[in-house]
Amino acid sequence: MAAVQETIDQVRQIDVDQYKYGFETIIEVDKAPKGLSEDIIRFISAKKQEPEWMLEWRLDAYQRWLTMEEPTWARVDYPKIDFNELYYYAAPKNMTGPSSLEEVDPELLRVYEKLGIPLQEQEMLAGVQKPRVAVDAVFDSVSVVTTFKKELQKAGVIFMSISEAIREHPELIKQYLGSVVPTTDNYYATLNAAVFTDGSFVFVPKGVRCPMELSTYFRINEKNTGQFERTLIIAEEGAYVSYLEGCTAPQRDENQLHAAVVELVALDDAEIKYSTVQNWYPGDAQGKGGIYNFVTKRGDCRGHRSKISWTQVETGSAITWKYPSCILRGDDSRGEFYSIAVSNGYQQIDSGTKMIHLGKNTSSRIISKGISAGRSNNTYRGQVSIHRRAENARNFTNCDSLLIGDKCGAHTVPYIEVKNASAQVEHEATTSKISDDQKFYVMQRGIPEEEAIALIVNGFVKDVIQELPMEFAVEAQKLIGISLEGSVG
Amino acid sequence: MLEIKNLHARIAEDGTEIIRGLNLTVKAGEVAAIMGPNGSGKSTLSYILSGREDYEVTEGDILYNGESILDLDPAERASKGIFLAFQYPVEIPGVATMQFLKVAMNEQRKARGEEELTTPDFIRRVKEAAAELKIDPAMLRRPLNVGFSGGEKKRAEILQMALLEPKLCILDETDSGLDIDALKIVADGVNALKSPDRAVIVITHYQRLLEYIVPDTVHVLYKGQVIRSGDKDLALELEANGYADIIGKAA
Ligand SMILES: Nc1ncnc2c1ncn2[C@@H]1O[C@H](COP(=O)(O)OP(=O)(O)OP(=O)(O)O)[C@@H](O)[C@H]1O
Ligand SMILES: [Mg+2]
């Protein structure tokens, strides 16, 4: 209720071209020279003080990448990226890794404050009512700080930047890194393996329920700098963790590249809930600028009765290419995908999921809500594949698209592949427009046009909003309202 | 309060004229009934009064409290106090009735420069109004009009009207689909709203509703015009003889 109200207020405050998070921070940076080469990879690895094996891993991936072609099957259209025109490493000066809060440049802390991301543990503790969230803040290529580390340690949970984990927990990294998304997986994932700069690492040991929400906040600040983060989350037997990811970038005329890899591993009876509110800069009303978001996210339900759930709210980026997926390997494991993808202006979204059923009695559920406005294009691309041995597998898919105006497009591309006769696969898809009847009815009660649309859209996405952690649900509703503004008329 | 002068209006899309030189005056405190055969333009008139875009006014004017409202959009007219209880209320999936009521009430308050309602105050008002109309509170948690029975939809319209406290209430066949008890409850709800500064336009086909909500004036609409006006006896006459006589005389 309040959220709708806030959406309304927010929409009032900002107009079409004012992306709220579009400010740039002037901070002294340490940058690698432009371009991509073995030397650059050595540079990144050295900056991170990585062990030799990690460097080898990166160089292997790089060699592989050189032989690969950029994929073209997605319904997105953009000029060819010149990978040698990008910077692959940028860090605030004198920062090579996460430090304690006291050591962080106050200017940086102010950035996160402005973004509404709490990094001061005391402040967070002071708000007794508020649920506490531990944050890993990544600024361009490095993790700036990770909060609540000590308290998490007490519970046995490891939450730190991946760079740190490579130094401090090499055994876990060697065992799990690339075990879900191999370095050879796809063009962007392979590139990421070669040049990833930072990201989060989470390890929840056997039987532990992580005592608070974990969250990473990504911020691209430097011009022409690619952000290649790498996140790895492991939940051992019976463990539970809920993880949130948020992101923003300044407004720029040029397009910026973001190519992340996220790997999740759930062992027997473990559960991982991964939520994203993606709000990278979408470009201006004419379609200039914006982030290219090419992301590989995959969860491996490796253990029996394990569960992985992806929830995403995609409102930003000029181009989104993203398919958070689940490999349902363990018997009785379950994968879920809940998605809201909002496109406006000239945004292009090609997103969906893959549910790969390998184990017996595996089940998956896909709920996708696409909203297209302006001149945008919004494609749901999903694959459900039931393998030969996946006895009694079940899938339910529901894809709804909502169109606002008549210059946008919505597309649904489901692939279903069933190799076991006991499978039950259900697919529902609808495409609708906000009807004039609905708009008139809502406005007749005194609700102005933009608020009326925000209200109807928030109703449309409610099933997915409910899956988000409370604090994120409010944020997400606001974002949806903001990203649709200027969509009427 | 409401003065419709020589109104001509057509469907924006294809130019078909529906309202053809309609005149009607409704005073504050008055209950006016509009009757007329199917397709005569009653619902269209109610849409045009509340600002629906699908219709274009080509001639004439609508004055509300002395001012033309033709340039106002539906939300602006609503916040000035015009309320339409729909003949066919629209489903709004995913939006709980409670939530919808709160947004609507607060938007109207905002437009009038009043403070937003506090949550307890809001809940108290809704509970009271719902109880008056014998609406089950569980229904308020459901998405607005989705899966509501015909009668429940009509009651939900009157609930909204009671909470929004409009000045000009237009009821488009609110009686259709209501059982006998519900008709009484809804009529009581409307009568409770009657006041010297409020006007009610009741569109109906049946005398029965007018026994409960007694009209001061009755108008017969035919082919987009008011062809006859009278007092409550006119409705009885129609009930007894149908429209043929009146239409014949007017022609
Ligand atoms: N958008 C529209 N497109 C096409 N025809 C329309 C439209 N709106 C109204 N009409 C036509 O205008 C005429 C008047 O319709 P309206 O709904 O106002 O009648 P009514 O008096 O309310 O009838 P009823 O008693 O059946 O409710 C009808 O012939 C109807 O078909
Ligand atoms: Mg009608």
Side-chain angles (χ1 to χ4, degrees):
Chain A
M1 233 143 55
V4 174
Q5 200 47 53
E6 278 174 62
T7 305
I8 291 165
D9 295 341
Q10 212 91 14
V11 171
R12 280 240 169 76
Q13 278 163 18
I14 307 169
D15 65 37
V16 187
D17 266 355
Q18 286 179 301
Y19 173 69
K20 178 179 169 190
Y21 307 101
F23 59 88
E24 180 184 357
T25 309
I26 310 298
I27 258 177
E28 269 199 284
V29 289
D30 209 1
K31 246 184 180 175
K34 194 149 89 177
L36 183 54
S37 65
E38 283 209 1
D39 285 346
I40 292 292
I41 293 166
R42 286 177 199 282
F43 175 95
I44 295 170
S45 190
K47 272 279 172 201
K48 306 251 162 209
Q49 299 156 30
E50 287 177 355
E52 189 60 27
W53 56 265
M54 196 66 240
L55 176 62
E56 291 299 324
W57 197 82
R58 289 174 178 276
L59 291 173
D60 271 359
Y62 178 62
Q63 285 309 325
R64 182 72 177 205
W65 182 74
L66 289 174
T67 69
M68 294 168 94
E69 294 280 336
E70 211 170 329
T72 52
W73 46 262
R75 199 184 191 111
V76 293
D77 185 32
Y78 55 95
K80 220 167 163 40
I81 300 171
D82 184 346
F83 290 92
N84 278 317
E85 279 300 307
L86 294 176
Y87 290 93
Y88 289 82
Y89 182 87
K93 254 229 161 82
N94 309 323
M95 283 276 306
T96 45
S99 30
S100 65
L101 273 171
E102 297 76 61
E103 291 167 45
V104 178
D105 184 340
E107 188 59 34
L108 268 178
L109 289 181
R110 267 195 292 279
V111 172
Y112 286 92
E113 209 176 280
K114 212 159 150 184
L115 294 167
I117 311 301
L119 290 184
Q120 306 288 5
E121 292 184 14
Q122 283 79 356
E123 268 173 41
M124 284 187 275
L125 290 167
V128 191
Q129 307 267 309
K130 267 197 166 168
R132 290 175 308 155
V133 180
V135 182
D136 182 24
V138 177
F139 196 83
D140 288 329
S141 306
V142 294
S143 166
V144 182
V145 71
T146 310
T147 60
F148 288 110
K149 262 168 102 166
K150 286 213 184 75
E151 193 165 334
L152 287 167
Q153 252 163 29
K154 244 185 273 165
V157 175
I158 304 172
F159 180 39
M160 55 175 57
S161 73
I162 196 125
S163 312
E164 229 181 328
I166 290 168
R167 295 191 298 266
E168 291 181 25
H169 302 282
E171 294 320 311
L172 287 173
I173 296 289
K174 275 189 194 164
Q175 185 182 348
Y176 289 106
L177 191 72
S179 73
V180 186
V181 179
T183 53
T184 53
D185 195 81
N186 71 69
Y187 191 77
Y188 305 112
T190 305
L191 175 64
N192 175 289
V195 301
F196 75 88
T197 39
D198 223 330
S200 303
F201 175 75
V202 177
F203 179 81
V204 188
K206 199 168 168 170
V208 171
R209 211 186 149 81
C210 187
M212 60 182 93
E213 302 269 354
L214 303 183
S215 149
T216 298
Y217 194 84
F218 297 101
R219 171 81 181 166
I220 297 181
N221 193 59
E222 272 300 300
K223 211 169 162 170
N224 292 331
T225 302
Q227 194 177 55
F228 303 93
E229 88 256 3
R230 183 115 198 162
T231 291
L232 175 59
I233 300 177
I234 301 143
E236 281 199 329
E237 290 83 353
Y240 169 85
V241 61
S242 166
Y243 180 93
L244 322 170
E245 176 200 282
C247 39
T248 58
Q251 262 168 289
R252 297 197 187 283
D253 286 351
E254 314 83 28
N255 297 99
Q256 311 241 95
L257 178 63
H258 172 254
V261 172
V262 175
E263 297 178 279
L264 312 182
V265 181
L267 303 186
D268 287 355
D269 301 295
E271 180 177 347
I272 301 174
K273 196 172 158 60
Y274 193 106
S275 314
T276 306
V277 173
Q278 187 269 106
N279 186 27
W280 295 117
Y281 177 53
D284 68 12
Q286 275 70 50
K288 208 160 183 239
I291 303 284
Y292 290 170
N293 191 30
F294 301 137
V295 175
T296 306
K297 289 183 163 171
R298 196 172 302 152
D300 190 353
C301 283
R302 214 166 271 185
H304 299 316
R305 298 165 304 276
S306 56
K307 179 176 167 188
I308 288 177
S309 156
W310 299 99
T311 305
Q312 60 174 26
V313 178
E314 304 280 310
T315 61
S317 295
I319 297 177
T320 304
W321 181 99
K322 179 178 174 190
Y323 316 90
S325 305
C326 296
I327 302 170
L328 304 170
R329 204 183 298 277
D331 291 346
D332 301 290
S333 62
R334 178 170 173 84
E336 294 175 342
F337 175 75
Y338 299 100
S339 170
I340 298 170
V342 183
S343 57
N344 197 357
Y346 285 82
Q347 283 178 273
Q348 306 174 53
I349 297 182
D350 195 297
S351 182
T353 185
K354 281 192 221 171
M355 293 290 172
I356 313 291
H357 293 252
L358 303 175
K360 295 190 186 66
N361 306 317
T362 47
S363 62
S364 60
R365 183 178 166 85
I366 299 170
I367 309 283
S368 162
K369 305 274 180 181
I371 298 141
S372 343
R375 292 166 184 276
S376 66
N377 255 302
N378 204 326
T379 302
Y380 167 82
R381 190 181 300 275
Q383 180 182 348
V384 174
S385 108
I386 314 275
H387 283 233
R388 205 163 45 81
R389 290 162 180 230
E391 208 55 49
N392 291 320
R394 273 169 298 135
N395 162 264
F396 174 76
T397 300
N398 176 286
C399 293
D400 295 328
S401 310
L402 188 68
L403 298 168
I404 302 175
D406 51 15
K407 296 194 176 63
C408 52
H411 319 275
T412 303
V413 191
Y415 304 90
I416 299 171
E417 192 184 55
V418 178
K419 297 209 176 115
N420 183 310
S422 66
Q424 283 178 40
V425 177
E426 266 180 273
H427 183 95
E428 290 174 358
T430 65
T431 299
S432 50
K433 286 188 81 164
I434 290 189
S435 73
D436 291 343
D437 280 346
Q438 284 179 328
K439 211 172 83 179
F440 173 61
Y441 184 85
V442 174
M443 288 179 75
Q444 208 298 308
R445 299 314 188 228
I447 302 169
E449 190 169 19
E450 290 211 329
E451 285 79 342
I453 288 187
L455 185 81
I456 296 167
V457 169
N458 272 318
F460 173 73
V461 301
K462 190 177 140 239
D463 296 350
V464 175
I465 293 280
Q466 280 172 341
E467 296 297 324
L468 285 170
M470 213 22 201
E471 318 81 87
F472 257 32
V474 175
E475 168 99 18
Q477 281 180 316
K478 279 196 240 170
L479 260 180
I480 292 166
I482 293 167
S483 39
L484 283 175
E485 79 193 53
S487 66
V488 291
Chain B
M1 166 166 269
L2 179 71
E3 230 180 311
I4 305 174
K5 295 201 284 203
N6 187 32
L7 190 70
H8 288 258
R10 60 185 187 194
I11 299 166
E13 206 169 32
D14 61 12
T16 315
E17 188 164 68
I18 311 278
I19 302 297
R20 305 180 175 100
L22 186 147
N23 291 291
L24 178 70
T25 302
V26 181
K27 297 196 199 66
E30 183 178 327
V31 175
I34 296 182
M35 306 183 81
N38 293 131
S40 56
K42 302 182 297 296
S43 294
T44 304
L45 176 64
S46 72
Y47 287 151
I48 292 169
L49 288 175
S50 33
R52 187 158 181 153
E53 271 176 11
D54 309 47
Y55 303 96
E56 225 171 60
V57 171
T58 51
E59 218 185 306
D61 207 347
I62 303 172
L63 304 183
Y64 175 67
N65 293 330
E67 280 174 43
S68 174
I69 52 169
L70 292 181
D71 290 337
L72 304 182
D73 79 14
E76 291 165 329
R77 295 186 198 195
S79 57
K80 284 191 180 295
I82 297 177
F83 181 94
L84 170 61
F86 284 62
Q87 182 174 2
Y88 305 107
V90 181
E91 301 189 353
I92 312 291
V95 179
T97 305
M98 270 299 229
Q99 174 190 355
F100 183 82
L101 291 172
K102 189 166 185 189
V103 175
M105 287 166 81
N106 280 332
E107 278 300 329
Q108 293 209 9
R109 297 177 76 87
K110 224 193 280 177
R112 293 193 294 258
E114 297 164 17
E115 287 277 296
E116 281 192 11
L117 290 170
T118 62
T119 303
D121 190 16
F122 164 73
I123 290 175
R124 187 183 49 76
R125 287 177 191 225
V126 174
K127 274 196 175 149
E128 278 174 18
E132 290 284 332
L133 292 163
K134 305 230 170 18
I135 290 174
D136 180 0
M139 202 175 96
L140 302 175
R141 287 193 291 272
R142 286 166 53 190
L144 184 61
N145 293 329
V146 179
F148 287 14
S149 75
E152 285 169 345
K153 283 184 184 167
K154 295 298 172 75
R155 261 191 252 194
E157 293 291 288
I158 301 304
L159 174 69
Q160 294 176 54
M161 186 168 93
L163 289 167
L164 292 168
E165 302 177 325
K167 287 287 179 285
L168 175 63
C169 311
I170 307 163
L171 308 177
D172 190 0
E173 294 197 29
T174 300
D175 50 342
S176 69
L178 289 181
D179 65 42
I180 299 161
D181 297 333
L183 185 68
K184 182 97 180 37
I185 293 166
V186 164
D188 286 346
V190 175
N191 286 329
L193 275 175
K194 273 206 273 185
S195 82
D197 64 346
R198 185 172 279 145
V200 183
I201 296 176
V202 187
I203 297 171
T204 183
H205 286 295
Y206 304 107
Q207 166 60 24
R208 164 167 276 141
L209 179 70
L210 302 180
E211 278 163 23
Y212 295 116
I213 306 171
V214 182
D216 299 300
T217 55
V218 176
H219 309 270
V220 179
L221 199 65
Y222 180 65
K223 290 193 173 164
Q225 285 187 340
V226 174
I227 55 164
R228 173 105 180 256
S229 297
D231 61 14
K232 63 182 191 313
D233 294 340
L234 178 55
L236 291 170
E237 188 188 324
L238 290 169
E239 178 98 341
N241 307 327
Y243 292 108
D245 273 10
I246 292 177
I247 290 169
K249 265 182 218 151

